[in-house]
Amino acid sequence: MPSERKEVRAVAVYCGSSAGKRSAYAKVAHLIGVALAKDNRPLIYGGGAPGHGLMGAVAQAVVQAGGKVTGITPYAMVAAGGEQDKATELSGTKSRVQLQADNPNIQTIIVNSMHERKVEMAKRACGFIALPGGFGTLEEFFEVTTWTQIGIHDKPVVLLNVLNYYGPIREMIHSAIEEGFVQSFNQRLVTFVDGPEDLAQHETYDWGTAALRAIANWNEGETKSNYDWTKRIDGTRVEESLTAS
């Protein structure tokens, strides 16, 4: 009899590698990290030094609150100044893992490409939270949203609309629906957390609790897909590669 799958509680966070121009962004990053640790939810993120940019701020907050962090980084970025010599083989030559000597709760997985990084992040997480960020952040959360739409996985994507940063994205989604490029029922694939109407209160709002509530409220199974992603050209089947395990 197959063993039961262990509940996955890790959350992938997408956000800027820079801190942005307004202090609210870094404060929200800190709140998200603390909330993840307190709720016993490991952080999955794109790597980077704790404390550097929004990504580092989230990771640092998780660690300081006693939580677990897994950073997934492409080798090219490590080779440009990382510490690849401290890594050990994880599985053949495809990826490597290193544990920080003074804190085993911090793990770094080194992969070969940006695509591998996105796959490794997605399959380890039960859901995704996006803070403000640049092109990489936008591309990442839209991709995992598309993967839910077409049935590769079935996981929530939560955008934290700090200081109305993602207001234009909401308008773009509405426009895509109105113009016939997105079906109206797929609007649910992206959950916006807006915070208080008064933007001055965004620095003190409890974004961490709100974000995790949105993750917990996701109704799995409502998205239908006609695609079977376990089939391969040679007629074999594989386990769902992007189902967290």
Side-chain angles (χ1 to χ4, degrees):
M1 179 179 296
S3 59
E4 290 187 6
R5 188 191 300 255
K6 185 178 180 181
E7 179 189 10
V8 176
R9 296 184 56 79
V11 174
V13 175
Y14 303 130
C15 55
S17 57
S18 59
K21 293 185 176 181
R22 296 199 263 185
S23 60
Y25 300 139
K27 291 182 179 180
V28 173
H30 176 81
L31 290 172
I32 293 299
V34 171
L36 289 172
K38 287 185 175 180
D39 200 39
N40 192 30
R41 290 183 177 274
L43 166 68
I44 310 296
Y45 82 122
H52 181 74
L54 295 188
M55 288 198 300
V58 176
Q60 185 175 57
V62 172
V63 172
Q64 290 178 343
K68 295 182 178 180
V69 171
T70 296
I72 301 176
T73 305
Y75 178 73
M77 294 181 177
V78 175
E83 299 178 337
Q84 67 274 21
D85 57 314
K86 295 182 179 179
T88 56
E89 293 293 332
L90 175 64
S91 56
T93 59
K94 292 184 178 181
S95 57
R96 297 179 176 182
V97 60
Q98 65 184 54
L99 297 177
Q100 186 166 309
D102 60 348
N103 192 336
N105 285 342
I106 303 176
Q107 175 182 255
T108 298
I109 296 174
I110 303 170
V111 296
N112 283 318
S113 69
M114 290 292 287
H115 179 68
E116 286 182 35
R117 173 163 82 166
K118 291 184 289 185
V119 170
E120 291 298 322
M121 290 179 68
K123 75 180 185 180
R124 285 172 164 77
C126 71
F128 311 92
I129 296 173
L131 282 72
F135 288 136
T137 300
L138 299 175
E139 184 270 341
E140 286 170 325
F141 76 67
F142 271 127
E143 182 161 36
V144 292
T145 300
T146 302
W147 288 353
T148 292
Q149 179 183 350
I150 62 178
I152 293 178
H153 62 200
D154 187 356
K155 300 176 182 181
V157 178
V158 178
L159 302 192
L160 301 188
N161 196 22
V162 184
L163 302 178
N164 198 38
Y165 183 81
Y166 284 122
I169 297 296
R170 176 188 272 128
E171 293 177 9
M172 186 182 73
I173 293 173
H174 289 168
S175 178
I177 292 170
E178 291 174 1
E179 297 298 329
F181 292 106
V182 174
Q183 293 177 307
S184 60
F185 58 80
N186 280 328
Q187 185 173 343
R188 63 172 289 274
L189 298 180
V190 178
T191 301
F192 288 85
V193 174
D194 291 308
E197 184 175 347
D198 182 359
L199 299 186
Q201 299 178 26
H202 278 209
E203 288 197 20
T204 56
Y205 178 66
D206 188 357
W207 292 94
T209 297
L212 295 186
R213 184 186 303 119
I215 292 284
N217 287 342
W218 172 254
N219 293 319
E220 187 174 350
E222 289 189 0
T223 303
K224 305 299 180 182
S225 171
N226 295 323
Y227 304 120
D228 183 351
W229 295 100
T230 67
K231 290 182 178 180
R232 292 296 179 264
I233 295 175
D234 61 5
T236 61
R237 289 180 177 270
V238 296
E239 292 185 9
E240 294 178 276
S241 60
L242 290 181
T243 299
S245 57

